[in-house]
Amino acid sequence: METTGDQLILATGGYDHTIKLWQAHTGNCIRTLRFVETSQVNALDRTPDKTRLAACGYQCIRLYDLESSSNVPVINFESVQKNVTRLGFQEDGNWMFTAGEDHRVRIWDMLSASPHCSRVFDCQAPVNAACLHPNQVEIAMGAQNGGVYLWDVKSEVHEQLIPEVDASIQDVAISPDGQFMAAVNNKGNCYIWTLSCSPNQKLTTLHPKLKIAAHKRYVLRCKFSPDSRLLVTTSGDGTARVWKTDDFTMWRELCIENYWVWDAAFSADSKYLFTASSDAIARLWKLETKNPERKYTGHTKAITALSFKDEIVTE
């Protein structure tokens, strides 16, 4: 597992306007960063070199330096409107993408001294989710009008699908092996596509595969495991459900009764899962046993976002 110094870092954020950094293996909170007093934290992601942490919320995107002792952001991204719902980084850290309720997905050039927006895609509806394809050039997006979009950042080629009418797409995910895409909606459903690409194509082709009635209520997040063998969906029904991607049957159900499970992240070996929930607690689950191995307590309100990245160290 990855360390900062010798520390494995979990980042969490939520409705109490703070971001907390934890030692993942002890549960100790090692730092609290100040977020914006007028906003919850919608999403968190670390730069690939793990030296900085990006956070987004209502009309704000903030970048924090994890190697300094300062708890205030080093960069405030200007002129963003409405809720910024998702963000993430290209694998070399050259650019960051953000998605928001102003209908737009933006590409930010991170190589300049003051990062600026270099490209914009307009979904013509509020965007709830975005994720980067492993090929590092295509972004999948999910919008409140039910649209799922695929956009090639370099060529500007794009495609739109509407898997279910009158349903808002809450999250999208692409498996690390590039084989599957998942989208989840506010009706509790999860849609799966298989992906294919040939040399003469300008854009990855999406082939509808499956509709899963994943939850009884709102699905909030979906994420594939690093080995692409598992998919987790989290919901307002108090569960995180883990599905096997070889047949998309449910393998594990993790319950936090009476609370919304807002976000989740796998460990690098795909054997553990972190969850963030509205009871203000983050948890580390051992998937084999379905047991919560550790709790991270310190937030005073719902935790709505988390970020965890470690690496399998091969001797």
Side-chain angles (χ1 to χ4, degrees):
M1 285 183 161
E2 162 263 326
T3 58
T4 296
D6 58 354
Q7 295 175 8
L8 189 65
I9 302 294
L10 168 71
T12 58
Y15 277 103
D16 63 1
H17 315 300
T18 67
I19 297 163
K20 291 186 181 291
L21 304 178
W22 311 82
Q23 281 182 322
H25 56 294
T26 65
N28 293 335
C29 180
I30 49 178
R31 269 175 82 185
T32 299
L33 308 174
R34 292 202 301 273
F35 196 56
V36 185
E37 283 304 318
T38 52
S39 175
Q40 77 280 7
V41 180
N42 288 330
L44 294 164
D45 196 25
R46 237 167 322 166
T47 53
D49 64 7
K50 304 192 183 74
T51 61
R52 292 180 167 193
L53 179 75
C56 61
Y58 181 70
Q59 296 191 338
C60 63
I61 305 164
R62 302 286 187 262
L63 193 68
Y64 298 84
D65 186 347
L66 297 178
E67 296 187 327
S68 88
S69 57
S70 171
N71 293 329
V72 296
V74 288
I75 299 173
N76 294 339
F77 291 78
E78 300 303 330
S79 70
V80 289
Q81 301 297 313
K82 302 190 176 179
N83 246 327
V84 183
T85 51
R86 290 288 190 279
L87 49 73
F89 290 94
Q90 181 262 355
E91 65 184 358
D92 299 319
N94 294 340
W95 48 268
M96 176 178 76
F97 64 89
T98 61
E101 291 181 355
D102 64 353
H103 302 188
R104 288 165 179 82
V105 173
R106 289 178 166 83
I107 303 296
W108 301 85
D109 180 358
M110 301 298 289
L111 296 177
S112 53
S114 55
H116 61 277
C117 178
S118 58
R119 290 217 166 113
V120 179
F121 182 84
D122 189 345
C123 285
Q124 299 179 334
V127 187
N128 289 331
C131 73
L132 184 59
H133 190 292
N135 65 19
Q136 304 295 307
V137 294
E138 293 174 343
I139 293 178
M141 300 164 268
Q144 288 179 22
N145 65 354
V148 174
Y149 304 81
L150 198 61
W151 172 43
D152 185 305
V153 174
K154 288 184 177 174
S155 69
E156 301 285 354
V157 175
H158 67 273
E159 183 185 346
Q160 178 193 358
L161 308 159
I162 298 183
E164 185 174 345
V165 180
D166 298 328
S168 169
I169 300 293
Q170 300 304 117
D171 202 12
V172 289
I174 296 176
S175 59
D177 63 7
Q179 190 177 349
F180 297 113
M181 183 172 87
V184 292
N185 69 22
N186 61 345
K187 304 277 184 76
N189 294 321
C190 175
Y191 288 84
I192 305 292
W193 292 263
T194 54
L195 307 182
S196 67
C197 190
S198 61
N200 56 354
Q201 284 175 242
K202 289 185 175 172
L203 199 64
T204 295
T205 306
L206 305 172
H207 310 275
K209 177 179 172 66
L210 200 61
K211 172 188 173 182
I212 306 168
H215 294 271
K216 293 186 175 71
R217 292 181 62 184
Y218 237 83
V219 189
L220 297 160
R221 285 286 209 287
C222 60
K223 283 184 185 171
F224 287 94
S225 60
D227 64 7
S228 298
R229 291 181 181 175
L230 302 172
L231 170 72
V232 64
T233 56
T234 76
S235 170
D237 67 5
T239 66
R241 290 178 174 168
V242 181
W243 313 81
K244 289 190 168 183
T245 58
D246 56 1
D247 57 4
F248 287 98
T249 54
M250 188 170 76
W251 177 57
R252 291 288 184 265
E253 181 180 68
L254 312 175
C255 295
I256 306 168
E257 287 182 25
N258 305 318
Y259 293 102
W260 285 39
V261 186
W262 276 96
D263 201 357
F266 286 94
S267 60
D269 60 11
S270 304
K271 293 179 180 177
Y272 292 86
L273 185 77
F274 293 90
T275 58
S277 46
S278 60
D279 59 355
I281 299 171
R283 291 170 174 82
L284 173 65
W285 306 78
K286 187 174 184 177
L287 292 175
E288 196 58 51
T289 61
K290 296 191 288 187
N291 291 334
E293 299 265 306
R294 195 159 290 110
K295 292 183 179 180
Y296 304 85
T297 56
H299 282 283
T300 56
K301 293 181 179 176
I303 304 175
T304 48
L306 56 76
S307 170
F308 179 78
K309 285 181 179 154
D310 63 333
E311 288 155 8
I312 295 175
V313 178
T314 51
E315 295 298 333

